[in-house]
Amino acid sequence: MTDMTLSAPARAASRNWTRIALRWLLFTLLGLFALFYLMPLFVMVTTSLKSLEEIRTGSLVAFPREVTFEAWRTAWSGACTGIQCEGLRPYFWNSVILAIPAVAISTILGAINGYVIAQWKFKGANLIFSLMLFGCFIPFQVVLLPMARMLGMMGIAGTIPGLIFVHVIYGIGFTTLFFRNYYVSIPQELVKAAKVDGAGFFRIFWSIFLPLSLPIVVVTVIWQFTQIWNDFLFGVSFSQAGTQPVTVALNNIVNSTTGVKEYNVDMAAAIIAALPTLLVYVVAGKYFIRGLTAGSVKG
Amino acid sequence: MAHILDIRNLYKNYGSTEILKDINVAIEPGDFLVLVGPSGCGKSTLLNCIAGLEPTSGGTIDIGGRDMTEVSPKDRDIAMVFQSYALYPTMSVAKNITFGMKVRGVDQATQEQKLQEVAQQLQIEPLLNRRPGQLSGGQRQRVAMGRALVRDPKLFLFDEPLSNLDAKLRVEMRTEIKKLHQNLNATMVYVTHDQIEAMTLATKIVVLKSGIVQQIGSPAEIYNKPANLFVADFMGSPAMNLIPARTKANGKGTRIEIERAGAAPLVLIDAHAKDLPEDVILGLRPEDIAEAGFRAGEDVQEADCLIDMVEPAGADTYVVSQLGGKHVTARLHAETSAQSGEMLPLAFDLSKVSYFVPESGERLN
Ligand SMILES: Nc1ncnc2c1ncn2[C@@H]1O[C@H](COP(=O)(O)OP(=O)(O)OP(=O)(O)O)[C@@H](O)[C@H]1O
Ligand SMILES: [Mg+2]
């Protein structure tokens, strides 16, 4: 009621002040959260740039007095994983040639599955979709033994194609879910119109649905890449000496130091192992948000 | 002559709900069949069944003399305009229009030529490079038309193609479609809500209600001799007057009495009607009730009526009177001296009258 006595401009001014104050409060809070999250990264980066000597004598959160990339070099090509001392490099490439096809195949299969389930309703489509969803929630541990046996029977146990196979199977549930949910919002008339125009199943997918799919492809690729690159359990269970992915090698480096613990090398190795996922987020993060919030497509 | 489209005993269910019931329609080459009916009566569903986009639950559909009931849409030789346009959102207008030709392997030069023809016809030349998302509703609708018109199919299927256009454009497009129909001698099945569209375009009208065919006939038949109360009420604007009346045989003809509140019943003598039941619903279109002296003929009968309302509508003036407990509308000439609250002699043209059974709604004469 006191507002009634204020003139209109005065009221507007006081409202403005409240708004600005609230804004600042919000930014301060967000800034604090950001600092909190960035702290470990800061420690990792600075530690990886210090010499062992400096680590032993200096403080954990201090900037390096003298920047050296020695630890990075060691981590990349000299650190020991058990008996071999080739650094992360070979395992990093293992992860690359594992993740790229696994991401590509699971995304393509997910797109086709989603397209069929959302737009080509057939008897039992809902049941199949439910089963796939269920597949998303099966814990990794449950499938380890049956999968090992299956890979053995297929003759691809301990190989990179074997790991690709595992990741594709495990990823299809998620990728199908993503694409199906995206495609159900697309009006059924599009398929009908294309059918009348004479286009078939794959033609419609290729010419009409795929061009619409960039946001959801980005979401799926980021999701799958993060999952597959960061996976440890499948990597450690289904690989052999030469085919281990980078996560397993990182673990071996950190655990197989003899004598002094080389924190700088460990940190550098950890950052190297995490770099590709970071990169994917930086490059495609904008589309990720857009893809998650993308609404239906207006004809 | 061979039917170009012959639908026999067609049924369509979604789950346990029957959407279409025992549809039988046949049309000749060059026919323009218009489907009308209230929203949700199954018009789009019927069109989808003809196109092969929805499986049928019973009956057969022949197109061009071949049983197409199980044939896929692309082999039915049809083109369709969808109610929701269904334009391909990532393709330009030009690509949308030529997609069908591209899929069918038509050569580039022909595609380009057809595209230009259609774009000119539909006045969408300046839009060819835009995406559908950058068009207004009416523009989208014309693009959707264009996509059908570049083809040369046995059968065109149109699902309310003009519903989103403004009045002027709609009239233009209506004329355009009519011309197109005459020039191409194309066969068309056309869904609309618009009475005038139905009357001006159709060579044959099908009136649907709840998935059941109410009447099939030429526009004149549907308009002048509606098969039941539903059709009588649905077709025509303003609607046909449907007045409860009592009848009594009167020599060779029939004496018709219509109750009026606070006045003696209105009595008309129909010299031709015979063997009517005692209670009927009398149907007379507004234009068949005129001001006395403005309509002549041996079946025209005059009577004084109390005018409740006068509604000038430009070219005509509508007056409303209370007869048989119903508002009855008469269409008078624009310069009428009718005043609300006064008596006016009206002329009822009984040569155009329809009689219906009150309970079943069936037509009697
Ligand atoms: N996929 C479906 N599943 C179940 N019922 C449906 C489906 N599609 C349509 N229907 C029902 O079928 C009936 C007919 O629908 P249809 O779209 O053919 O109506 P319409 O005559 O074209 O109406 P409008 O004039 O509003 O376009 C409606 O009652 C509708 O609810
Ligand atoms: Mg419809």
Side-chain angles (χ1 to χ4, degrees), chain B residues 37-267:
Chain B
S39 188
C41 70
K43 303 181 296 291
S44 299
T45 308
L46 179 54
L47 227 49
N48 274 307
C49 289
I50 297 174
L53 295 167
E54 291 286 352
T56 58
S57 312
T60 57
I61 297 173
D62 288 8
I63 299 173
R66 261 184 66 201
D67 183 358
M68 293 277 186
T69 318
E70 303 294 330
V71 174
S72 80
K74 70 175 192 316
D75 300 323
R76 292 195 183 199
D77 203 5
I78 48 160
M80 182 158 174
V81 176
F82 290 83
Q83 195 169 4
S84 56
Y85 325 125
L87 301 179
Y88 312 128
T90 55
M91 295 184 201
S92 68
V93 167
K95 290 250 169 62
N96 259 284
I97 292 176
T98 53
F99 182 71
M101 291 190 284
K102 203 171 134 200
V103 168
R104 290 187 152 86
V106 174
D107 66 88
Q108 202 73 36
T110 316
Q111 284 188 30
E112 189 57 32
Q113 183 209 336
K114 286 248 185 187
L115 172 66
Q116 291 309 331
E117 267 174 41
V118 166
Q120 194 182 357
Q121 200 170 24
L122 297 172
Q123 305 169 24
I124 49 174
E125 286 151 307
L127 310 175
L128 289 181
N129 291 319
R130 294 216 204 147
R131 294 272 180 90
Q134 301 164 320
L135 302 177
S136 74
Q139 291 169 332
R140 286 181 205 177
Q141 208 151 32
R142 278 181 282 159
V143 176
M145 291 275 297
R147 204 164 55 177
L149 295 185
V150 288
R151 305 255 317 280
D152 187 18
K154 278 211 190 71
L155 198 57
F156 282 101
L157 306 175
F158 291 128
D159 200 345
E160 306 195 26
L162 307 185
S163 58
N164 278 306
L165 305 185
D166 64 52
K168 179 169 172 288
L169 199 55
R170 184 188 303 208
V171 174
E172 277 177 36
M173 292 288 294
R174 198 168 71 207
T175 320
E176 201 58 53
I177 292 179
K178 183 137 191 152
K179 260 199 267 169
L180 192 94
H181 172 236
Q182 285 164 352
N183 294 346
L184 297 181
N185 202 25
T187 316
M188 303 188 171
V189 180
Y190 189 102
V191 173
T192 181
H193 273 122
D194 187 317
Q195 308 275 337
I196 302 171
E197 244 170 78
M199 300 301 287
T200 52
L201 292 175
T203 59
K204 203 171 200 179
I205 294 179
V206 173
V207 185
L208 271 180
K209 179 195 168 197
S210 316
I212 301 172
V213 173
Q214 304 294 307
Q215 188 173 5
I216 303 181
S218 69
E221 277 166 2
I222 301 269
Y223 193 75
N224 296 322
K225 295 192 178 316
N228 57 36
L229 280 176
F230 174 80
V231 178
D233 191 41
F234 188 77
M235 292 302 288
S237 171
M240 182 185 267
N241 296 302
L242 297 167
I243 313 161
R246 297 168 75 82
T247 69
K248 196 183 277 176
N250 177 313
K252 281 181 79 184
T254 303
R255 173 190 158 95
I256 299 158
E257 267 185 38
I258 300 169
E259 296 293 331
R260 283 195 286 191
L266 176 74
V267 177

Side-chain angles (χ1 to χ4, degrees), chain A residues 268-280:
Chain A
I271 295 173
I272 290 172
L275 226 41
T277 40
L278 273 180
L279 195 74
V280 168

